[in-house]
Amino acid sequence: MADLKPDQGFIDQLKGEFDLLVIGGGITGAGILWDAVNRGLRAVLVEKGDFASGTSSRSTKLIHGGLRYLEQFEFGLVKEVGRERAILYRNCPHLVHPEKMLLPLIRGGKLNRLTASFGIWLYDRLAGVKRNERRRMLSREETLSLVPLLDPEKVMGGALYIEYRTDDARLTMEVIKSAVAHGALAMNYTEVIDLLYDGAGRVKGAHLLDKRTGESMALNAKAVVNATGPWVDFLRRMDHSLDDKRIHWTKGVHLVIDQKDFPLAHSIYFDTPDGRMVFAIPRDGKTYVGTTDTDYKGSLEEVRVESEDRDYLLRAIRHLFPSLSLAPSQVESGWAGIRPLIHEEGKGVSEISRKDEIFLSPSGLITIAGGKLTAFRKMAERTVDLVCAQLGMGKEKRCTPCRTEYLPLSGSEGGVERFEEKEKEMIRRGIEEFELTEKRARELFSRYGTNVGEIYALIRKLNQASDREEERLIEKNETNHPLPDSDVGKDEGISSDLLAELRYTWEKEFVYTPADFLIRRTGLLFFNRSLCREIFPFVSERLTEWNGWNERERRRWEEEMIKEFEWGDTLYA
Ligand code: FAD
C-alpha cells in the first residue's frame, strides 16, 4: 500500500484535474470513493476532521436488517438493507458478525406474540434471512433463562431474530483503505472552505484548508459530491442551492456500563416506558445501551451526552431490569451522534424515514443525504451512477459498471470463504510467535483482520531493536541508558504490541491525533476508558515525535481527548 502521509509528493498529486471530489469522510463518502476508483475514476476525498469523526463513529454499530422500518411500511428499504447486509458480511467478515437479538414481549409493550411473530416472519422473507438464522418464538421461561435479569413480572415471552454487529468507525477506515489501495486519494484534516465554479456557473472543484498547516489550495474536479452527512445543508448553502428540502437533525445517545454492573450475555431490543425501543448489546466486557431520538438544534462540532439523555436511558434500563438499580456513577462512558434525516413536514422524529435521497443542484453539485451505515454500498452505487452520467455528458470519460458487490474490503482479503481458518491461524501466530494473550490476539484480529500481519512485522522489528539495545548495554556495562533510536521507537510505558498498533495506524490508517487512535481506530475511549486514560500520555508523546509537533501543536491536537475526559468526568462521576 502507498504511504498515506500528506508529504510534499502527496500534495503534488493534488495538482491537475480529478474526475471526482468527494467531500466528507464518513461511511457515505468513503463508500463513494471506493466505488468511484473501482470504476476507473481519478477520485479524491477530503474530510475536515478525522475520518468517521461525525456520525459514522457514533451509531448503534449494527448492520441492520431493518426490522423497525416495517412499522413505517418501508418494505423496499427492508429488502434493500437485508440484501446489503448479506453482501457486507461476504466482503467484510472481520467486521460484520451475525448476532441473535432477543425481543422480549412484555405486558403493555409495543408488540404482542402475534404482531412480533408476523413482523419478524415478514422481515425474514423481505430481508432474505438465511433459513438457519430465521426467527424463533420463545416461551416466558425460555426468555427469562436467556436473560435472567429481565423483570419476571413483565415478561410474557420473547422472540429471537438476527442482526449483525459491526464497528462503524473501523468499517469506514477499511473502506477508505480499500479505495486508497486501488489508487484513490484521501485526506483527513482538510476542509472544503469554498466551492469553485466555471464561467457557466458549474461547480468545478473546491478551495481546501489543510488544518494541520493552515495552508489553503485549490483542487479541480469535473464532478463534486457533497457527502457531509449532518453538514450537507452547510455545503448546499455554500453552493446557493439550499431550498425547501432540508436536513432534520436528531440526536442519538448510547451509554456504556461495565458487565459487572450490567451482566448481559445476550443482545436485547427492549421497550422503554414511553413506547420506544432501545438496544442493549454486550461488547468487550461492557454492555452498551441506546439509543435516544430527540430533535437537535445545537452545534455539530461538539455533540455531547447530556444528563437528561443519560437519565432517560437509565430509566429505560430500570423499567425492564429493576434488580440492577443503576446509578449515573456506574456509567463508564457514552457517545452521541446526529442522524442526518430528510425533513418531512408534520412527522415526529421517530417517524421520519431513514431513506437516502440524492439532490442535484443547478451548479451540478451532487448531494447525498439521509440513509444508513448498512446501505452505504448501494447509496454509493446510485451516487456514482449519477457522477458517471454527468461525466458522460461531456463525453470525456466512460465509467465501468459498479463492481463493489464482489470486492472484499481491506482486512478481509479473500472474503468470507475460508475466513475462519485464516482467523485461527493469525490468532495462533499472535499467541505463539509474539507472546500475546489470546484476548489481545483476538482483539487485534477483530480490528485489523488479515492486515494484523503488518502489526506483527512491526512487533518483530521493535523486539529486535530492543534486543540489540540490550546487547549493546551489556557489552558496555551501562545501566542508565537512553531509549534506542530505532525506526519505530520504543517506550517504557507502553507494550510493544500497543506501540506497533499505534505505529501501524499512524503509517497506514491516517492517525494524526491521540483521539484518532483512542476513539476512532480502537474505540478505547468508549470500551476501555481506564486503559485509554492510562496510555493517553504515551500515545501523545509518540505522535508528538512522529508528527514533529512543538509544545503548542501538541496541546492543540491533545485537546479533543482532554475535552472528552473532562466531559465524561462531570457526567459519569
Ligand atoms: P458522517 O459520518 O457524519 O460524515 C460526514 C463527514 O463530513 C463528517 O466526518 C464531517 O466532518 C465531514 N465534513 C463536514 N463538512 C465538511 C467540509 N466542509 N469539508 C470536509 N469534510 C466535511 N445506521 C446503521 O446502519 N446501523 C446502525 O446501527 C445505526 N445506528 C445509528 C445510531 C445513531 C445514534 C445515529 C445518529 C445513526 C445511526 N445510524 C445507523 C445511521 C448511520 O450512522 C448514518 O447514516 C451514517 O453514519 C452517516 O454517515 P455519513 O458519512 O453520511 O455522515
Side-chain angles (χ1 to χ4, degrees):
M1 192 186 291
D3 187 2
L4 307 175
K5 296 281 120 191
D7 56 15
Q8 194 49 47
F10 189 85
I11 303 289
D12 282 347
Q13 294 179 65
L14 293 179
K15 293 187 179 145
E17 193 182 33
F18 283 83
D19 294 320
L20 174 63
L21 165 64
V22 184
I23 311 170
I27 192 67
T28 309
I32 293 167
L33 187 74
W34 182 47
D35 187 313
V37 73
N38 278 293
R39 297 205 205 188
L41 300 185
R42 184 168 181 243
V44 55
L45 178 148
V46 295
E47 160 56 53
K48 76 179 171 65
D50 183 26
F51 299 118
S53 57
T55 307
S56 297
S57 55
R58 286 153 193 282
S59 77
T60 310
K61 307 180 195 303
L62 289 174
I63 300 297
H64 280 306
L67 181 62
R68 74 178 285 276
Y69 310 140
L70 284 180
E71 264 179 61
Q72 291 141 332
F73 305 106
E74 299 206 64
F75 301 129
L77 192 57
V78 179
K79 217 169 165 170
E80 177 170 300
V81 291
R83 184 165 184 275
E84 283 305 306
R85 182 170 75 177
I87 294 172
L88 207 48
Y89 175 58
R90 200 173 65 215
N91 290 333
C92 195
H94 81 286
L95 281 177
V96 180
H97 309 281
E99 173 108 351
K100 287 269 180 202
M101 188 69 68
L102 173 69
L103 182 82
L105 302 171
I106 64 161
R107 254 172 254 291
K110 219 171 161 155
L111 295 167
N112 60 38
R113 204 169 180 81
L114 195 71
T115 49
S117 175
F118 175 69
I120 303 175
W121 176 86
L122 186 62
Y123 158 87
D124 283 345
R125 268 38 183 201
L126 286 171
V129 174
K130 289 184 232 159
R131 250 170 216 289
N132 61 342
E133 291 183 346
R134 288 187 185 164
R135 69 125 161 65
R136 193 157 77 80
M137 298 307 292
L138 304 178
S139 66
R140 178 175 179 277
E141 287 64 37
E142 285 172 314
T143 307
L144 286 170
S145 78
L146 265 185
V147 180
L149 285 169
L150 280 167
D151 186 349
E153 302 287 314
K154 292 202 177 95
V155 172
M156 299 186 310
L160 279 177
Y161 75 99
I162 194 83
E163 286 280 13
Y164 282 57
R165 251 183 323 113
T166 192
D167 184 301
D168 44 10
R170 288 233 45 91
L171 182 64
T172 306
M173 196 64 247
E174 298 296 14
V175 176
I176 289 189
K177 281 162 76 184
S178 306
V180 170
H182 281 83
L185 287 178
M187 291 184 290
N188 51 1
Y189 298 104
T190 306
E191 180 169 2
V192 165
I193 49 171
D194 212 349
L195 294 168
L196 298 174
Y197 298 89
D198 65 14
R202 290 198 65 79
V203 66
K204 64 164 192 104
H207 259 123
L208 309 179
L209 174 70
D210 181 338
K211 305 222 334 233
R212 301 167 215 237
T213 61
E215 285 167 19
S216 64
M217 60 195 128
L219 186 142
N220 296 310
K222 294 183 189 121
V224 180
V225 169
N226 169 16
T228 55
W231 287 262
V232 289
D233 283 353
F234 294 129
L235 271 287
R236 292 170 73 214
R237 188 169 291 130
M238 211 184 262
D239 181 54
H240 306 290
S241 59
L242 189 59
D243 53 22
D244 290 346
K245 215 141 208 191
R246 305 264 167 132
I247 288 298
H248 186 133
W249 295 336
T250 80
K251 184 168 89 164
V253 161
H254 291 82
L255 301 180
V256 182
I257 298 156
D258 197 275
Q259 278 269 336
K260 75 174 164 27
D261 295 321
F262 193 168
L264 190 70
H266 205 289
S267 292
I268 176 166
Y269 186 40
F270 64 97
D271 293 77
T272 61
D274 60 343
R276 293 183 58 251
M277 296 200 72
V278 295
F279 291 98
I281 300 172
R283 172 176 161 172
D284 301 343
K286 313 284 165 186
T287 296
Y288 70 95
V289 185
T291 171
T292 58
D293 197 1
T294 49
D295 270 323
Y296 186 73
K297 303 255 187 290
S299 157
L300 286 184
E301 306 310 320
E302 278 190 15
V303 185
R304 299 273 183 219
V305 179
E306 303 288 344
S307 52
E308 48 277 25
D309 305 316
R310 177 200 64 196
D311 296 344
Y312 171 91
L313 287 173
L314 288 179
R315 266 198 309 279
I317 298 170
R318 274 184 225 118
H319 175 62
L320 219 57
F321 302 91
S323 62
L324 288 175
S325 61
L326 289 173
S329 59
Q330 284 162 299
V331 179
E332 286 195 352
S333 66
W335 61 88
I338 298 297
R339 296 180 189 83
L341 307 176
I342 298 158
H343 184 72
E344 292 176 61
E345 209 49 58
K347 284 205 174 171
V349 283
S350 293
E351 295 160 355
I352 301 178
S353 169
R354 266 54 179 167
K355 270 194 273 195
D356 59 283
E357 204 169 319
I358 297 175
F359 312 138
L360 181 61
S361 90
S363 73
L365 177 73
I366 298 170
T367 293
I368 169 111
K372 298 291 290 176
L373 186 81
T374 308
F376 82 89
R377 195 203 63 84
K378 197 69 195 169
M379 287 161 62
E381 181 178 338
R382 282 196 281 269
T383 311
V384 181
D385 281 348
L386 189 57
V387 170
C388 289
Q390 256 189 6
L391 296 178
M393 272 188 255
K395 300 270 179 280
E396 290 164 35
K397 186 104 190 175
R398 289 178 69 113
C399 295
T400 54
C402 175
R403 300 195 306 130
T404 50
E405 183 174 344
Y406 305 102
L407 295 177
L409 286 168
S410 163
S412 281
E413 272 74 16
V416 78
E417 289 296 311
R418 301 184 41 232
F419 196 73
E420 264 176 42
E421 273 170 55
K422 284 184 212 163
E423 178 175 4
K424 271 193 200 136
E425 170 57 17
M426 294 302 247
I427 290 171
R428 186 197 58 75
R429 275 189 61 201
I431 298 167
E432 290 177 9
E433 280 181 48
F434 300 99
E435 296 176 7
L436 301 179
T437 60
E438 183 179 343
K439 183 166 174 265
R440 177 67 174 142
R442 284 193 181 284
E443 177 180 86
L444 283 176
F445 188 85
S446 71
R447 283 184 195 146
Y448 306 98
T450 49
N451 290 325
V452 79
E454 294 189 49
I455 297 182
Y456 290 167
L458 286 168
I459 302 178
R460 184 177 298 117
K461 207 166 164 185
L462 268 174
N463 289 345
Q464 283 167 354
S466 102
D467 287 350
R468 274 201 306 276
E469 179 64 7
E470 225 161 80
E471 279 165 26
R472 197 181 66 75
L473 293 171
I474 291 165
E475 270 168 31
K476 288 185 143 192
N477 203 14
E478 283 176 14
T479 44
N480 232 347
H481 56 83
L483 293 174
D485 189 16
S486 81
D487 193 15
V488 179
K490 180 177 186 289
D491 203 304
E492 284 165 331
I494 190 169
S495 62
S496 60
D497 57 288
L498 195 55
L499 187 51
E501 183 179 5
L502 177 62
R503 180 70 186 201
Y504 171 78
T505 57
W506 182 78
E507 283 182 9
K508 299 290 168 79
E509 296 199 337
F510 305 83
V511 159
Y512 188 63
T513 75
D516 301 345
F517 182 71
L518 296 169
I519 303 179
R520 269 88 54 182
R521 301 307 176 279
T522 60
L524 284 177
L525 177 73
F526 302 143
F527 294 103
N528 198 341
R529 199 178 172 87
S530 56
L531 179 66
C532 178
R533 272 202 123 110
E534 197 184 308
I535 66 172
F536 167 59
F538 301 104
V539 168
S540 178
E541 207 163 292
R542 290 275 70 85
L543 292 176
T544 301
E545 183 193 324
W546 298 341
N547 292 326
W549 292 332
N550 57 33
E551 235 351 87
R552 189 182 50 79
E553 287 167 321
R554 176 182 178 151
R555 277 201 303 277
R556 174 182 170 201
W557 295 112
E558 276 183 344
E559 203 177 285
E560 187 181 349
M561 276 322 297
I562 289 172
K563 278 190 178 166
E564 286 286 352
F565 288 142
E566 282 174 357
W567 187 254
D569 287 348
T570 60
L571 203 68
Y572 312 126

